[in-house]
Amino acid sequence: MTKITFIGGGSTVFAKALMGDLLSKPHLAHAELCLFDIDPERLRLSEAVGHRLADALGVTPRITATTDRERALDGADYALNMIQVGGYRPSTVIDFEIPARYGLRQTIGDTLGIGGIMRALRTIPVLLDIQRDMERLCPDVLHLNYANPMAMNCWALRRASPIRTIGLCHSVPHTADKLAHDAGVPADELRYLVAGINHMAFFLRLEHEGADLYPRLRARLEEGRVPDDDRVRYDLLGRFGYFVTESSEHLAEYVPWYLHVRRPDLVEKYGIPLDEYPRRCRLYEAAWGYIEAELREPGSQDPEALRQRLWAQEPDAMPSQIDAITGDLAAMDEVRPSGEYASDIIDSVHTGEPRRIYANVPNHGSIQGLPDDCCVEIPCLVDGTGVHPTRVGALPPQLTALMRTNVNVQELTVEAALSGRRDHVHQAALLDPHTAAELGPDEIEAMVDELLEAHADRLPEGLRPVER
C-alpha cells in the first residue's frame, strides 16, 4: 500500500484539498494517508474530513492520524510538507510588529524581505530535523515541500540532506488563469513557458492558438485598463518586458521601488495593501469557528453570515480575501480539483504516466547566469522514475539581473541557517532590496538583532543572543 504522509496535517483546509485530489486518482484511491501534526485537535478534525471525503468518493483508503512524527514517516513513500513554524501568533506578528517600529512595512513577509529571512531561519532547522528522520525511516521518500519561504527552504534542504525534495507552489497556474482572463482567452487553451525563481519567475512565452498574447497585455497597460489589484506587476511588465508569476502585493516586497512608507503617494498609486497577510490571518481567526463547524457538519453554516461578520471586523480587507474565505466555507462539502501539483506528481511516479509540471529544484545549469546550487522554478517532466528538471538556458538579461538581487538574500540566509553565523543574517538584510530602500545600515542591524532576540527559542544555536 502506497503511504503518503502529511506533515502539518492539521492545516485542515489545505489538507482537505490535497486529500481530495489524491483520492480522486484511481490508482491512489486505496493508499494510506497518514496525517501528522503537533496539534491533536486539528489533527482529529483533518482525519474526520478525510474519512468524509473517502465516503463521498466511494473509495477505501487507509486514513490514520498521529502526533508521533517517527510513526508518521516510517515507511512513507511520499511526504507532503505544509508546516508553518511559530504560526501566525507569535512568530508572524513579531515579524511585522518589530520592523514596523523601525518604519519598515510589509505586505506578506513569507518569501523575501525581513519577514522571509526570519521565517527561513526558524523553519529550516525544523525541516532539517524532519529530513534526518526521513534518512532513517524512509530514505527513498519523495518530499514535496509547500512551506515558505520556498526557495530558501529547498536550497537548504538539498544542500544538507540526500532526501529528494521538490518545492511546489501554485503561483504559475494561478497567474496563468489570471492572464487568460486579462487577455480574453480560455484558460485551458493557454500555452506558456515560465522560468525563474519562486515568486519571481516570468512568462517567457504566452500564446493562444499560436498567437503571442503579450501585445494584449501591453495594450491594457498603455490604455490604463490595469486591474486595481495588479498595478505593480503590470508596471514591472512595462519596464522589464515580461509578466511575473506572483501577485502584486508579494512582488512589491521583492524590489526597491514601490513599497515606501515614507512615500505614501507610491503606496496609493500602486494599490499596495500594507499588512495584507496579518489581516488575512485575523480574518481566518474570525472565520475559524464557522469553518470548523462546517467541516464537522457540512451545510450547517451560512457563507453570507460569515461574509458580513468578516467585513464588520476588517472593513479595510481586500474583497478577494473575503471572497476566498467565504468560498472555502461554501465548498467544504465539495470534492473538486485544487489545481495543486502534488497528486499529479505522485500519480505519475506511481503509474509511470508522464506529465509536465512546474517545480522548485536545484538549478544545476538549468538557467544560465544563476548560481548552480540555487533553487529555481522551471518546467519539470514527471514519470515513473521521478521528477526531471528541464534545461531552459539563458533568460533575458534584465530578468536574470533582477532575480540575482533576490538570490543574494536567499544565499546568505541559507548560509546563516546552516552555519549559525549572525553576520550573514545582518548581511542578508542589508542586501535585501526592500529593506535597504527604507532603512539605513545601523537601523537594519539593530532591527535584525531585536528580531533574533524575539525569535531566540526557535533559532539555530549560533543565532541566539549571547547570555551575559
Side-chain angles (χ1 to χ4, degrees), residues 242-309:
Y242 295 85
F243 207 89
V244 73
T245 50
E246 195 42 84
S247 65
S248 282
E249 58 265 29
H250 272 278
L251 179 63
E253 295 183 318
Y254 309 154
V255 294
W257 314 302
Y258 305 109
L259 182 49
H260 289 276
V261 176
R262 296 177 178 87
R263 288 287 307 276
D265 57 313
L266 289 177
V267 175
E268 180 179 359
K269 175 181 178 181
Y270 292 105
I272 299 170
L274 297 174
D275 301 323
E276 192 269 352
Y277 182 65
R279 186 181 301 112
R280 192 191 324 164
C281 291
R282 291 194 300 270
L283 288 168
Y284 268 103
E285 283 185 333
W288 179 247
Y290 283 78
I291 292 171
E292 184 176 15
E294 182 70 14
L295 287 165
R296 296 188 187 282
E297 187 180 349
S300 64
Q301 302 300 304
D302 179 7
E304 187 55 34
L306 175 59
R307 180 184 296 275
Q308 295 305 318
R309 175 177 178 174

Side-chain angles (χ1 to χ4, degrees), residues 276-353:
E276 192 269 352
Y277 182 65
R279 186 181 301 112
R280 192 191 324 164
C281 291
R282 291 194 300 270
L283 288 168
Y284 268 103
E285 283 185 333
W288 179 247
Y290 283 78
I291 292 171
E292 184 176 15
E294 182 70 14
L295 287 165
R296 296 188 187 282
E297 187 180 349
S300 64
Q301 302 300 304
D302 179 7
E304 187 55 34
L306 175 59
R307 180 184 296 275
Q308 295 305 318
R309 175 177 178 174
L310 297 182
W311 277 123
Q313 174 166 320
E314 298 284 345
D316 295 330
M318 298 169 62
S320 59
Q321 292 176 322
I322 304 290
D323 290 343
I325 295 172
T326 54
D328 283 344
L329 182 69
M332 284 300 170
D333 62 343
E334 299 178 10
V335 182
R336 58 185 183 184
S338 72
E340 300 291 346
Y341 289 125
S343 64
D344 285 342
I345 292 173
I346 294 173
D347 189 63
S348 285
V349 174
H350 186 69
T351 66
E353 179 184 349

Side-chain angles (χ1 to χ4, degrees), residues 1-2 23 29-34 51 60-64 71:
M1 179 179 287
T2 300
L23 297 179
H30 307 291
E32 176 183 357
L33 306 185
C34 182
H51 286 295
T60 56
R62 180 184 180 195
I63 299 176
T64 60
R71 178 184 165 196

